[in-house]
Every structure is written in structure tokens, then in C-alpha cells.
Amino acid sequence: MSLPHPTTDQISLPIVLAVLGDPTRLAIVRYLASKEGVPLNCSKFLDLASKTNLSYHLAKLREAGVTRSEAVGTSRLITLRRDDLDKRFPGLLDSVIAAAGTDPALPAVGVSEVEVSA
């Protein structure tokens, strides 16, 4: 099943800013940026919200063109659309992520992750 995503030219600044104005969605973007280029299963964000609420936030990010969601079996892999956002709005994502990185009011993602040493 293919999910709809806006093209680069369809990404709208007011919509991106509105989507990033939510603390949960901003925390998701901050975490995706820290794992740059690595597709993450949506379960990585369960610390932030219930499954239903998380689905809503991930859909809003996808519909705004901030993330790409790929259905793989029963999972969804989420990536940040950094190249598309940088092409459309140069420097915007870096500025938002830099500001979010120092905001203690944002919820933490991945706090329940356990590191496994080899």
C-alpha cells in the first residue's frame, strides 16, 4: 500500500510551520534528524503518545511533506524529508532543529530504549 505524499513543489511553508508548532510532532522531527537517513519504525515514538494519537501526528507530518512513511508489511518506516525541505526552504529545518534541541519543554523520544552491546 502506497501512502500519499506531497511533491517537493507542493510543500507549503504555512502548513510546515503549523505542523511543527506541535510539541509532539517537533519532538518526532528532532529525533528523526538525530538518526539522519535511517528509516525508523513508528514504534520508536510510542513514548510520546498512544498508538491512535501517534498515527494522527505521523499522518500530519507526512501530509505536510515533513516526513516520508513507507509501509513495509505491517510496519511503517518513517524518514525525514530533509533534502526536499532544504530544496524548498533552505535553512528552515536546520533552524527549527537547532532551536528544538535546546527546548526542555519538548517530550523525550526513545527514553525507554535499551542499548544492547555486542
mmCIF file of all heavy atoms in Angstrom, residues 56-108:
data_model
loop_
_atom_site.group_PDB
_atom_site.id
_atom_site.type_symbol
_atom_site.label_atom_id
_atom_site.label_comp_id
_atom_site.label_asym_id
_atom_site.label_seq_id
_atom_site.Cartn_x
_atom_site.Cartn_y
_atom_site.Cartn_z
ATOM 1 N N TYR A 56 -2.049 9.860 14.241
ATOM 2 C CA TYR A 56 -2.524 11.187 13.847
ATOM 3 C C TYR A 56 -1.338 12.129 13.595
ATOM 4 O O TYR A 56 -1.266 12.795 12.557
ATOM 5 C CB TYR A 56 -3.450 11.746 14.925
ATOM 6 C CG TYR A 56 -3.810 13.190 14.725
ATOM 7 C CD1 TYR A 56 -4.788 13.557 13.806
ATOM 8 C CD2 TYR A 56 -3.170 14.189 15.443
ATOM 9 C CE1 TYR A 56 -5.120 14.886 13.612
ATOM 10 C CE2 TYR A 56 -3.493 15.522 15.263
ATOM 11 C CZ TYR A 56 -4.462 15.865 14.337
ATOM 12 O OH TYR A 56 -4.776 17.174 14.147
ATOM 13 N N HIS A 57 -0.390 12.169 14.539
ATOM 14 C CA HIS A 57 0.765 13.062 14.406
ATOM 15 C C HIS A 57 1.635 12.674 13.211
ATOM 16 O O HIS A 57 2.093 13.552 12.462
ATOM 17 C CB HIS A 57 1.597 13.063 15.690
ATOM 18 C CG HIS A 57 0.957 13.781 16.819
ATOM 19 N ND1 HIS A 57 0.620 15.119 16.769
ATOM 20 C CD2 HIS A 57 0.583 13.355 18.046
ATOM 21 C CE1 HIS A 57 0.069 15.488 17.900
ATOM 22 N NE2 HIS A 57 0.024 14.429 18.705
ATOM 23 N N LEU A 58 1.863 11.391 13.026
ATOM 24 C CA LEU A 58 2.677 10.949 11.892
ATOM 25 C C LEU A 58 1.994 11.246 10.559
ATOM 26 O O LEU A 58 2.656 11.605 9.583
ATOM 27 C CB LEU A 58 2.998 9.458 12.023
ATOM 28 C CG LEU A 58 3.951 9.102 13.168
ATOM 29 C CD1 LEU A 58 4.051 7.587 13.319
ATOM 30 C CD2 LEU A 58 5.316 9.721 12.977
ATOM 31 N N ALA A 59 0.675 11.128 10.512
ATOM 32 C CA ALA A 59 -0.062 11.468 9.289
ATOM 33 C C ALA A 59 0.053 12.962 8.989
ATOM 34 O O ALA A 59 0.239 13.352 7.825
ATOM 35 C CB ALA A 59 -1.526 11.059 9.422
ATOM 36 N N LYS A 60 -0.048 13.793 10.007
ATOM 37 C CA LYS A 60 0.076 15.244 9.796
ATOM 38 C C LYS A 60 1.458 15.600 9.260
ATOM 39 O O LYS A 60 1.584 16.435 8.352
ATOM 40 C CB LYS A 60 -0.191 16.011 11.100
ATOM 41 C CG LYS A 60 -1.642 16.021 11.504
ATOM 42 C CD LYS A 60 -2.438 16.805 10.506
ATOM 43 C CE LYS A 60 -3.880 16.944 10.905
ATOM 44 N NZ LYS A 60 -4.666 17.584 9.857
ATOM 45 N N LEU A 61 2.504 14.973 9.803
ATOM 46 C CA LEU A 61 3.865 15.226 9.313
ATOM 47 C C LEU A 61 4.017 14.775 7.864
ATOM 48 O O LEU A 61 4.627 15.473 7.045
ATOM 49 C CB LEU A 61 4.885 14.519 10.209
ATOM 50 C CG LEU A 61 5.099 15.132 11.582
ATOM 51 C CD1 LEU A 61 5.834 14.162 12.501
ATOM 52 C CD2 LEU A 61 5.850 16.451 11.470
ATOM 53 N N ARG A 62 3.463 13.621 7.538
ATOM 54 C CA ARG A 62 3.538 13.096 6.164
ATOM 55 C C ARG A 62 2.766 13.994 5.202
ATOM 56 O O ARG A 62 3.263 14.358 4.134
ATOM 57 C CB ARG A 62 2.994 11.664 6.112
ATOM 58 C CG ARG A 62 2.968 11.068 4.721
ATOM 59 C CD ARG A 62 2.400 9.657 4.700
ATOM 60 N NE ARG A 62 1.145 9.503 5.413
ATOM 61 C CZ ARG A 62 -0.054 9.854 4.964
ATOM 62 N NH1 ARG A 62 -0.162 10.424 3.776
ATOM 63 N NH2 ARG A 62 -1.136 9.658 5.678
ATOM 64 N N GLU A 63 1.555 14.371 5.571
ATOM 65 C CA GLU A 63 0.711 15.200 4.702
ATOM 66 C C GLU A 63 1.319 16.577 4.457
ATOM 67 O O GLU A 63 1.105 17.167 3.395
ATOM 68 C CB GLU A 63 -0.679 15.343 5.316
ATOM 69 C CG GLU A 63 -1.465 14.039 5.311
ATOM 70 C CD GLU A 63 -2.684 14.066 6.233
ATOM 71 O OE1 GLU A 63 -2.925 15.093 6.903
ATOM 72 O OE2 GLU A 63 -3.380 13.036 6.289
ATOM 73 N N ALA A 64 2.088 17.084 5.418
ATOM 74 C CA ALA A 64 2.738 18.383 5.260
ATOM 75 C C ALA A 64 4.016 18.287 4.431
ATOM 76 O O ALA A 64 4.555 19.304 4.006
ATOM 77 C CB ALA A 64 3.062 18.974 6.630
ATOM 78 N N GLY A 65 4.509 17.057 4.217
ATOM 79 C CA GLY A 65 5.731 16.870 3.454
ATOM 80 C C GLY A 65 6.988 16.884 4.302
ATOM 81 O O GLY A 65 8.095 16.934 3.771
ATOM 82 N N VAL A 66 6.838 16.810 5.611
ATOM 83 C CA VAL A 66 7.990 16.836 6.513
ATOM 84 C C VAL A 66 8.627 15.456 6.611
ATOM 85 O O VAL A 66 9.846 15.332 6.716
ATOM 86 C CB VAL A 66 7.580 17.356 7.910
ATOM 87 C CG1 VAL A 66 8.735 17.293 8.891
ATOM 88 C CG2 VAL A 66 7.033 18.780 7.800
ATOM 89 N N THR A 67 7.814 14.411 6.569
ATOM 90 C CA THR A 67 8.332 13.051 6.656
ATOM 91 C C THR A 67 7.827 12.217 5.483
ATOM 92 O O THR A 67 6.871 12.588 4.807
ATOM 93 C CB THR A 67 7.889 12.356 7.968
ATOM 94 O OG1 THR A 67 6.463 12.275 8.003
ATOM 95 C CG2 THR A 67 8.422 13.077 9.191
ATOM 96 N N ARG A 68 8.490 11.088 5.300
ATOM 97 C CA ARG A 68 8.047 10.097 4.329
ATOM 98 C C ARG A 68 7.754 8.825 5.116
ATOM 99 O O ARG A 68 8.549 8.406 5.950
ATOM 100 C CB ARG A 68 9.119 9.826 3.284
ATOM 101 C CG ARG A 68 8.705 8.764 2.274
ATOM 102 C CD ARG A 68 9.602 8.718 1.048
ATOM 103 N NE ARG A 68 9.674 9.978 0.320
ATOM 104 C CZ ARG A 68 8.728 10.462 -0.496
ATOM 105 N NH1 ARG A 68 7.617 9.802 -0.684
ATOM 106 N NH2 ARG A 68 8.901 11.609 -1.126
ATOM 107 N N SER A 69 6.599 8.236 4.854
ATOM 108 C CA SER A 69 6.202 6.983 5.502
ATOM 109 C C SER A 69 6.107 5.907 4.439
ATOM 110 O O SER A 69 5.447 6.081 3.421
ATOM 111 C CB SER A 69 4.841 7.140 6.185
ATOM 112 O OG SER A 69 4.887 8.116 7.178
ATOM 113 N N GLU A 70 6.764 4.800 4.720
ATOM 114 C CA GLU A 70 6.743 3.672 3.788
ATOM 115 C C GLU A 70 6.164 2.460 4.512
ATOM 116 O O GLU A 70 6.652 2.077 5.577
ATOM 117 C CB GLU A 70 8.160 3.366 3.309
ATOM 118 C CG GLU A 70 8.237 2.225 2.340
ATOM 119 C CD GLU A 70 9.674 1.889 1.957
ATOM 120 O OE1 GLU A 70 10.595 2.618 2.330
ATOM 121 O OE2 GLU A 70 9.847 0.860 1.279
ATOM 122 N N ALA A 71 5.124 1.903 3.943
ATOM 123 C CA ALA A 71 4.520 0.705 4.520
ATOM 124 C C ALA A 71 5.362 -0.504 4.126
ATOM 125 O O ALA A 71 5.596 -0.754 2.948
ATOM 126 C CB ALA A 71 3.093 0.541 4.022
ATOM 127 N N VAL A 72 5.833 -1.234 5.142
ATOM 128 C CA VAL A 72 6.625 -2.437 4.934
ATOM 129 C C VAL A 72 5.987 -3.531 5.775
ATOM 130 O O VAL A 72 6.150 -3.555 6.997
ATOM 131 C CB VAL A 72 8.100 -2.235 5.335
ATOM 132 C CG1 VAL A 72 8.889 -3.514 5.145
ATOM 133 C CG2 VAL A 72 8.727 -1.090 4.563
ATOM 134 N N GLY A 73 5.231 -4.389 5.121
ATOM 135 C CA GLY A 73 4.480 -5.400 5.864
ATOM 136 C C GLY A 73 3.452 -4.712 6.750
ATOM 137 O O GLY A 73 2.674 -3.891 6.281
ATOM 138 N N THR A 74 3.496 -5.018 8.032
ATOM 139 C CA THR A 74 2.565 -4.382 8.973
ATOM 140 C C THR A 74 3.182 -3.170 9.648
ATOM 141 O O THR A 74 2.564 -2.561 10.514
ATOM 142 C CB THR A 74 2.129 -5.388 10.056
ATOM 143 O OG1 THR A 74 3.293 -5.862 10.748
ATOM 144 C CG2 THR A 74 1.370 -6.549 9.439
ATOM 145 N N SER A 75 4.395 -2.819 9.265
ATOM 146 C CA SER A 75 5.095 -1.687 9.880
ATOM 147 C C SER A 75 5.115 -0.485 8.952
ATOM 148 O O SER A 75 4.929 -0.605 7.744
ATOM 149 C CB SER A 75 6.545 -2.066 10.202
ATOM 150 O OG SER A 75 6.601 -3.101 11.126
ATOM 151 N N ARG A 76 5.359 0.651 9.542
ATOM 152 C CA ARG A 76 5.589 1.883 8.776
ATOM 153 C C ARG A 76 6.974 2.394 9.130
ATOM 154 O O ARG A 76 7.304 2.543 10.305
ATOM 155 C CB ARG A 76 4.556 2.962 9.136
ATOM 156 C CG ARG A 76 3.138 2.568 8.849
ATOM 157 C CD ARG A 76 2.657 3.220 7.582
ATOM 158 N NE ARG A 76 1.385 2.670 7.161
ATOM 159 C CZ ARG A 76 0.239 3.319 7.210
ATOM 160 N NH1 ARG A 76 0.204 4.540 7.681
ATOM 161 N NH2 ARG A 76 -0.857 2.755 6.765
ATOM 162 N N LEU A 77 7.771 2.641 8.113
ATOM 163 C CA LEU A 77 9.092 3.204 8.320
ATOM 164 C C LEU A 77 9.038 4.689 7.996
ATOM 165 O O LEU A 77 8.569 5.089 6.929
ATOM 166 C CB LEU A 77 10.127 2.493 7.450
ATOM 167 C CG LEU A 77 10.316 1.006 7.750
ATOM 168 C CD1 LEU A 77 11.360 0.405 6.819
ATOM 169 C CD2 LEU A 77 10.704 0.784 9.199
ATOM 170 N N ILE A 78 9.528 5.489 8.922
ATOM 171 C CA ILE A 78 9.436 6.947 8.829
ATOM 172 C C ILE A 78 10.827 7.526 8.601
ATOM 173 O O ILE A 78 11.779 7.157 9.300
ATOM 174 C CB ILE A 78 8.860 7.540 10.139
ATOM 175 C CG1 ILE A 78 7.640 6.769 10.639
ATOM 176 C CG2 ILE A 78 8.584 9.037 9.983
ATOM 177 C CD1 ILE A 78 6.473 6.743 9.719
ATOM 178 N N THR A 79 10.933 8.436 7.638
ATOM 179 C CA THR A 79 12.175 9.177 7.416
ATOM 180 C C THR A 79 11.852 10.657 7.278
ATOM 181 O O THR A 79 10.744 11.039 6.903
ATOM 182 C CB THR A 79 12.916 8.711 6.140
ATOM 183 O OG1 THR A 79 12.014 8.773 5.037
ATOM 184 C CG2 THR A 79 13.469 7.315 6.288
ATOM 185 N N LEU A 80 12.835 11.466 7.585
ATOM 186 C CA LEU A 80 12.718 12.915 7.449
ATOM 187 C C LEU A 80 13.009 13.291 6.001
ATOM 188 O O LEU A 80 13.977 12.803 5.410
ATOM 189 C CB LEU A 80 13.730 13.571 8.392
ATOM 190 C CG LEU A 80 13.664 15.064 8.592
ATOM 191 C CD1 LEU A 80 12.312 15.480 9.163
ATOM 192 C CD2 LEU A 80 14.774 15.504 9.537
ATOM 193 N N ARG A 81 12.210 14.159 5.432
ATOM 194 C CA ARG A 81 12.408 14.593 4.041
ATOM 195 C C ARG A 81 13.314 15.821 4.001
ATOM 196 O O ARG A 81 12.980 16.870 3.461
ATOM 197 C CB ARG A 81 11.059 14.891 3.387
ATOM 198 C CG ARG A 81 10.243 13.640 3.152
ATOM 199 C CD ARG A 81 8.921 13.951 2.494
ATOM 200 N NE ARG A 81 9.099 14.490 1.137
ATOM 201 C CZ ARG A 81 8.084 14.853 0.355
ATOM 202 N NH1 ARG A 81 6.831 14.723 0.776
ATOM 203 N NH2 ARG A 81 8.309 15.329 -0.844
ATOM 204 N N ARG A 82 14.501 15.672 4.563
ATOM 205 C CA ARG A 82 15.431 16.795 4.678
ATOM 206 C C ARG A 82 15.774 17.404 3.318
ATOM 207 O O ARG A 82 15.738 18.629 3.156
ATOM 208 C CB ARG A 82 16.705 16.377 5.395
ATOM 209 C CG ARG A 82 17.715 17.514 5.499
ATOM 210 C CD ARG A 82 18.983 17.113 6.185
ATOM 211 N NE ARG A 82 18.839 17.013 7.615
ATOM 212 C CZ ARG A 82 18.842 18.062 8.437
ATOM 213 N NH1 ARG A 82 18.921 19.280 7.959
ATOM 214 N NH2 ARG A 82 18.739 17.875 9.725
ATOM 215 N N ASP A 83 16.116 16.586 2.336
ATOM 216 C CA ASP A 83 16.507 17.116 1.028
ATOM 217 C C ASP A 83 15.386 17.936 0.394
ATOM 218 O O ASP A 83 15.628 19.022 -0.140
ATOM 219 C CB ASP A 83 16.931 15.994 0.081
ATOM 220 C CG ASP A 83 18.237 15.334 0.500
ATOM 221 O OD1 ASP A 83 18.986 15.942 1.298
ATOM 222 O OD2 ASP A 83 18.503 14.215 0.032
ATOM 223 N N ASP A 84 14.163 17.422 0.476
ATOM 224 C CA ASP A 84 13.024 18.147 -0.103
ATOM 225 C C ASP A 84 12.767 19.456 0.634
ATOM 226 O O ASP A 84 12.505 20.490 0.006
ATOM 227 C CB ASP A 84 11.759 17.282 -0.062
ATOM 228 C CG ASP A 84 11.842 16.091 -0.991
ATOM 229 O OD1 ASP A 84 12.604 16.154 -1.978
ATOM 230 O OD2 ASP A 84 11.153 15.095 -0.730
ATOM 231 N N LEU A 85 12.838 19.428 1.968
ATOM 232 C CA LEU A 85 12.592 20.643 2.745
ATOM 233 C C LEU A 85 13.711 21.660 2.540
ATOM 234 O O LEU A 85 13.448 22.869 2.438
ATOM 235 C CB LEU A 85 12.435 20.303 4.222
ATOM 236 C CG LEU A 85 11.143 19.564 4.561
ATOM 237 C CD1 LEU A 85 11.202 18.979 5.963
ATOM 238 C CD2 LEU A 85 9.938 20.479 4.413
ATOM 239 N N ASP A 86 14.963 21.186 2.452
ATOM 240 C CA ASP A 86 16.084 22.105 2.220
ATOM 241 C C ASP A 86 16.012 22.730 0.826
ATOM 242 O O ASP A 86 16.377 23.886 0.641
ATOM 243 C CB ASP A 86 17.422 21.391 2.400
ATOM 244 C CG ASP A 86 17.754 21.144 3.861
ATOM 245 O OD1 ASP A 86 17.125 21.765 4.735
ATOM 246 O OD2 ASP A 86 18.648 20.313 4.120
ATOM 247 N N LYS A 87 15.536 21.950 -0.141
ATOM 248 C CA LYS A 87 15.386 22.487 -1.501
ATOM 249 C C LYS A 87 14.299 23.563 -1.532
ATOM 250 O O LYS A 87 14.463 24.607 -2.162
ATOM 251 C CB LYS A 87 15.033 21.353 -2.461
ATOM 252 C CG LYS A 87 14.866 21.791 -3.895
ATOM 253 C CD LYS A 87 14.528 20.616 -4.789
ATOM 254 C CE LYS A 87 14.246 21.091 -6.206
ATOM 255 N NZ LYS A 87 13.772 19.991 -7.053
ATOM 256 N N ARG A 88 13.211 23.294 -0.841
ATOM 257 C CA ARG A 88 12.059 24.207 -0.861
ATOM 258 C C ARG A 88 12.268 25.427 0.037
ATOM 259 O O ARG A 88 11.923 26.546 -0.341
ATOM 260 C CB ARG A 88 10.825 23.426 -0.409
ATOM 261 C CG ARG A 88 9.535 24.139 -0.567
ATOM 262 C CD ARG A 88 9.002 23.984 -1.987
ATOM 263 N NE ARG A 88 7.640 24.436 -2.022
ATOM 264 C CZ ARG A 88 7.253 25.579 -2.578
ATOM 265 N NH1 ARG A 88 8.112 26.350 -3.197
ATOM 266 N NH2 ARG A 88 5.992 25.927 -2.549
ATOM 267 N N PHE A 89 12.824 25.184 1.247
ATOM 268 C CA PHE A 89 13.010 26.254 2.240
ATOM 269 C C PHE A 89 14.401 26.120 2.850
ATOM 270 O O PHE A 89 14.560 25.589 3.956
ATOM 271 C CB PHE A 89 11.947 26.166 3.345
ATOM 272 C CG PHE A 89 10.545 26.017 2.824
ATOM 273 C CD1 PHE A 89 9.841 24.832 3.003
ATOM 274 C CD2 PHE A 89 9.923 27.047 2.143
ATOM 275 C CE1 PHE A 89 8.555 24.674 2.522
ATOM 276 C CE2 PHE A 89 8.638 26.901 1.644
ATOM 277 C CZ PHE A 89 7.953 25.709 1.838
ATOM 278 N N PRO A 90 15.432 26.604 2.149
ATOM 279 C CA PRO A 90 16.815 26.435 2.616
ATOM 280 C C PRO A 90 17.025 26.974 4.036
ATOM 281 O O PRO A 90 16.641 28.098 4.355
ATOM 282 C CB PRO A 90 17.640 27.240 1.609
ATOM 283 C CG PRO A 90 16.788 27.320 0.387
ATOM 284 C CD PRO A 90 15.367 27.349 0.888
ATOM 285 N N GLY A 91 17.605 26.113 4.882
ATOM 286 C CA GLY A 91 17.939 26.519 6.254
ATOM 287 C C GLY A 91 16.818 26.398 7.263
ATOM 288 O O GLY A 91 17.070 26.469 8.465
ATOM 289 N N LEU A 92 15.596 26.237 6.814
ATOM 290 C CA LEU A 92 14.465 26.196 7.747
ATOM 291 C C LEU A 92 14.574 25.021 8.709
ATOM 292 O O LEU A 92 14.487 25.188 9.923
ATOM 293 C CB LEU A 92 13.138 26.116 6.991
ATOM 294 C CG LEU A 92 11.906 25.926 7.892
ATOM 295 C CD1 LEU A 92 11.650 27.171 8.720
ATOM 296 C CD2 LEU A 92 10.688 25.557 7.072
ATOM 297 N N LEU A 93 14.780 23.837 8.180
ATOM 298 C CA LEU A 93 14.815 22.646 9.025
ATOM 299 C C LEU A 93 15.975 22.705 10.016
ATOM 300 O O LEU A 93 15.803 22.380 11.200
ATOM 301 C CB LEU A 93 14.902 21.390 8.160
ATOM 302 C CG LEU A 93 14.639 20.077 8.866
ATOM 303 C CD1 LEU A 93 13.267 20.077 9.541
ATOM 304 C CD2 LEU A 93 14.722 18.926 7.894
ATOM 305 N N ASP A 94 17.137 23.149 9.572
ATOM 306 C CA ASP A 94 18.281 23.271 10.479
ATOM 307 C C ASP A 94 17.985 24.240 11.617
ATOM 308 O O ASP A 94 18.331 23.977 12.768
ATOM 309 C CB ASP A 94 19.532 23.726 9.723
ATOM 310 C CG ASP A 94 20.084 22.637 8.818
ATOM 311 O OD1 ASP A 94 19.891 21.444 9.133
ATOM 312 O OD2 ASP A 94 20.723 22.986 7.801
ATOM 313 N N SER A 95 17.342 25.354 11.298
ATOM 314 C CA SER A 95 16.998 26.346 12.325
ATOM 315 C C SER A 95 15.997 25.786 13.332
ATOM 316 O O SER A 95 16.145 25.971 14.544
ATOM 317 C CB SER A 95 16.405 27.609 11.693
ATOM 318 O OG SER A 95 17.348 28.237 10.881
ATOM 319 N N VAL A 96 14.992 25.093 12.830
ATOM 320 C CA VAL A 96 13.963 24.521 13.701
ATOM 321 C C VAL A 96 14.567 23.446 14.604
ATOM 322 O O VAL A 96 14.313 23.415 15.815
ATOM 323 C CB VAL A 96 12.795 23.951 12.863
ATOM 324 C CG1 VAL A 96 11.871 23.101 13.707
ATOM 325 C CG2 VAL A 96 12.029 25.076 12.196
ATOM 326 N N ILE A 97 15.396 22.587 14.033
ATOM 327 C CA ILE A 97 16.009 21.506 14.810
ATOM 328 C C ILE A 97 16.978 22.069 15.852
ATOM 329 O O ILE A 97 17.022 21.594 16.988
ATOM 330 C CB ILE A 97 16.696 20.492 13.877
ATOM 331 C CG1 ILE A 97 15.628 19.744 13.074
ATOM 332 C CG2 ILE A 97 17.566 19.515 14.657
ATOM 333 C CD1 ILE A 97 16.174 18.941 11.919
ATOM 334 N N ALA A 98 17.736 23.093 15.484
ATOM 335 C CA ALA A 98 18.663 23.709 16.437
ATOM 336 C C ALA A 98 17.904 24.305 17.620
ATOM 337 O O ALA A 98 18.302 24.143 18.778
ATOM 338 C CB ALA A 98 19.507 24.778 15.743
ATOM 339 N N ALA A 99 16.804 24.980 17.345
ATOM 340 C CA ALA A 99 16.005 25.565 18.426
ATOM 341 C C ALA A 99 15.347 24.477 19.273
ATOM 342 O O ALA A 99 15.266 24.586 20.494
ATOM 343 C CB ALA A 99 14.953 26.501 17.844
ATOM 344 N N ALA A 100 14.888 23.428 18.629
ATOM 345 C CA ALA A 100 14.221 22.338 19.348
ATOM 346 C C ALA A 100 15.199 21.547 20.203
ATOM 347 O O ALA A 100 14.818 21.001 21.244
ATOM 348 C CB ALA A 100 13.520 21.405 18.364
ATOM 349 N N GLY A 101 16.456 21.502 19.782
ATOM 350 C CA GLY A 101 17.455 20.732 20.515
ATOM 351 C C GLY A 101 17.717 21.249 21.908
ATOM 352 O O GLY A 101 18.161 20.505 22.776
ATOM 353 N N THR A 102 17.425 22.507 22.141
ATOM 354 C CA THR A 102 17.676 23.100 23.455
ATOM 355 C C THR A 102 16.390 23.386 24.224
ATOM 356 O O THR A 102 16.433 24.022 25.267
ATOM 357 C CB THR A 102 18.455 24.423 23.293
ATOM 358 O OG1 THR A 102 17.679 25.317 22.486
ATOM 359 C CG2 THR A 102 19.813 24.175 22.643
ATOM 360 N N ASP A 103 15.269 22.907 23.738
ATOM 361 C CA ASP A 103 13.985 23.180 24.379
ATOM 362 C C ASP A 103 13.621 22.064 25.358
ATOM 363 O O ASP A 103 13.221 20.975 24.938
ATOM 364 C CB ASP A 103 12.894 23.331 23.320
ATOM 365 C CG ASP A 103 11.591 23.853 23.888
ATOM 366 O OD1 ASP A 103 11.414 23.824 25.118
ATOM 367 O OD2 ASP A 103 10.742 24.292 23.088
ATOM 368 N N PRO A 104 13.724 22.335 26.665
ATOM 369 C CA PRO A 104 13.416 21.293 27.650
ATOM 370 C C PRO A 104 11.921 20.975 27.740
ATOM 371 O O PRO A 104 11.537 19.976 28.342
ATOM 372 C CB PRO A 104 13.933 21.880 28.964
ATOM 373 C CG PRO A 104 13.890 23.355 28.755
ATOM 374 C CD PRO A 104 14.152 23.581 27.290
ATOM 375 N N ALA A 105 11.090 21.795 27.133
ATOM 376 C CA ALA A 105 9.644 21.571 27.186
ATOM 377 C C ALA A 105 9.183 20.479 26.228
ATOM 378 O O ALA A 105 8.077 19.975 26.354
ATOM 379 C CB ALA A 105 8.902 22.872 26.886
ATOM 380 N N LEU A 106 10.034 20.113 25.275
ATOM 381 C CA LEU A 106 9.645 19.080 24.309
ATOM 382 C C LEU A 106 9.716 17.701 24.957
ATOM 383 O O LEU A 106 10.630 17.418 25.729
ATOM 384 C CB LEU A 106 10.555 19.105 23.089
ATOM 385 C CG LEU A 106 10.401 20.308 22.166
ATOM 386 C CD1 LEU A 106 11.373 20.194 21.003
ATOM 387 C CD2 LEU A 106 8.988 20.429 21.666
ATOM 388 N N PRO A 107 8.771 16.831 24.614
ATOM 389 C CA PRO A 107 8.809 15.477 25.156
ATOM 390 C C PRO A 107 10.014 14.706 24.626
ATOM 391 O O PRO A 107 10.495 14.955 23.519
ATOM 392 C CB PRO A 107 7.502 14.849 24.672
ATOM 393 C CG PRO A 107 7.017 15.705 23.571
ATOM 394 C CD PRO A 107 7.623 17.062 23.741
ATOM 395 N N ALA A 108 10.512 13.785 25.431
ATOM 396 C CA ALA A 108 11.661 12.966 25.041
ATOM 397 C C ALA A 108 11.205 11.757 24.254
ATOM 398 O O ALA A 108 10.160 11.189 24.539
ATOM 399 C CB ALA A 108 12.425 12.527 26.283
#
